[in-house]
Amino acid sequence: MTAPFAPLDPRGAVLGDEVYARLGEAILDGRLAPGERLRDHELAEWLGVSRTPVREALQRLERVGLVEVSPHRYTRVSQPNRQIDTAELVAFNMGLAVRMACARAEDEAVAQALERLDEVIAASRADDPIALADASHVFFAVITNAAGNYALLQFVREYEFAIRRDMVGWQPFLECPIGRTAAYEEFRAALVARDGDGAEALLRGIHGLP
């Protein structure tokens, strides 16, 4: 098999994190396809590193569900999870981030989140599900940073690859672009008012959660 990526030049990065990122991106873009066997010595050779950071990266990828391991049998790329499960998890965590950001984020951080939210609203108004998914992902990242909760931030960062893979082909719960955009605008107003309860409830409604 042809090497799916060039050797690493890890200057300025933690080697284990760089290997994890490189393998995760290769799984996302299909260079490492679902069901493909992963051999640490082969990956290490391709990346130009020792087996240790490769094994650490594979363990992390297993924890987040991108790799599955059967001891003494195989290590391989897993199949994507059910999209509905991941979408539910993302929506609940985004609601928590919004609630915390309303309570304690700096005005500048909220302003940055509102700029990203305006991109979400524009994509909704255009009825472009791909742009809506991309803009929502960016908004989620910004509002999570604004929330200032280290545990939530670490959780989202660790599971980012799994979230991105499982959400491919996502479609919004609210199908009508007019009603959906109105709901996003109402959510925006709640965020401006720092109404954490209201903003979280509106966001859950947008994503079809109780």
Side-chain angles (χ1 to χ4, degrees):
M1 176 182 176
T2 303
F5 24 62
L8 280 172
D9 181 11
R11 291 174 295 181
V14 177
L15 185 56
D17 290 342
E18 186 68 15
V19 172
Y20 174 75
R22 189 69 68 90
L23 295 180
E25 291 292 349
I27 291 172
L28 287 185
D29 64 26
R31 283 174 289 163
L32 297 175
E36 185 169 343
R37 297 292 181 97
L38 302 173
R39 299 171 178 85
D40 57 5
H41 64 88
E42 191 173 49
L43 295 171
E45 181 180 350
W46 287 340
L47 291 168
V49 299
S50 70
R51 291 189 186 185
T52 298
V54 170
R55 288 171 177 166
E56 292 173 352
L58 290 175
Q59 288 171 355
R60 289 177 65 184
L61 291 166
E62 182 190 12
R63 287 197 296 271
V64 300
L66 267 67
V67 165
E68 56 184 2
V69 176
S70 179
H72 310 299
R73 293 183 60 201
Y74 59 76
T75 298
R76 66 189 181 193
V77 179
S78 68
Q79 299 293 328
N81 291 323
R82 291 200 315 153
Q83 187 182 92
I84 189 171
D85 293 340
T86 303
E88 182 180 52
L89 177 67
V90 170
F92 273 115
N93 278 312
M94 193 185 298
L96 288 173
V98 166
R99 175 185 287 274
M100 289 186 284
C102 285
R104 58 178 181 243
E106 298 289 338
D107 289 344
E108 182 179 354
V110 173
Q112 291 173 351
L114 289 170
E115 289 178 3
R116 304 287 77 78
L117 182 55
D118 287 339
E119 295 169 359
V120 173
I121 293 171
S124 176
R125 185 176 292 114
D127 201 19
D128 185 339
I130 295 176
L132 180 56
D134 290 343
S136 295
H137 180 77
V138 174
F139 171 73
F140 185 24
V142 172
I143 201 69
T144 301
N145 277 308
N149 184 289
Y150 182 77
L152 179 60
L153 185 61
Q154 288 299 105
F155 171 82
V156 172
R157 284 177 176 170
E158 190 72 5
Y159 280 84
E160 180 182 4
F161 284 130
I163 290 170
R164 287 167 58 192
R165 182 176 70 159
D166 294 345
M167 295 297 286
V168 170
W170 171 84
Q171 294 291 321
F173 173 76
L174 299 177
E175 296 181 2
C176 173
I178 297 174
R180 182 180 61 237
T181 302
Y184 274 120
E185 289 173 337
E186 190 176 359
F187 167 67
R188 188 188 192 282
L191 183 56
V192 169
R194 290 182 177 260
D195 176 7
D197 289 343
E200 182 178 18
L202 287 163
L203 189 63
R204 289 188 179 188
I206 288 169
H207 293 284
L209 299 177

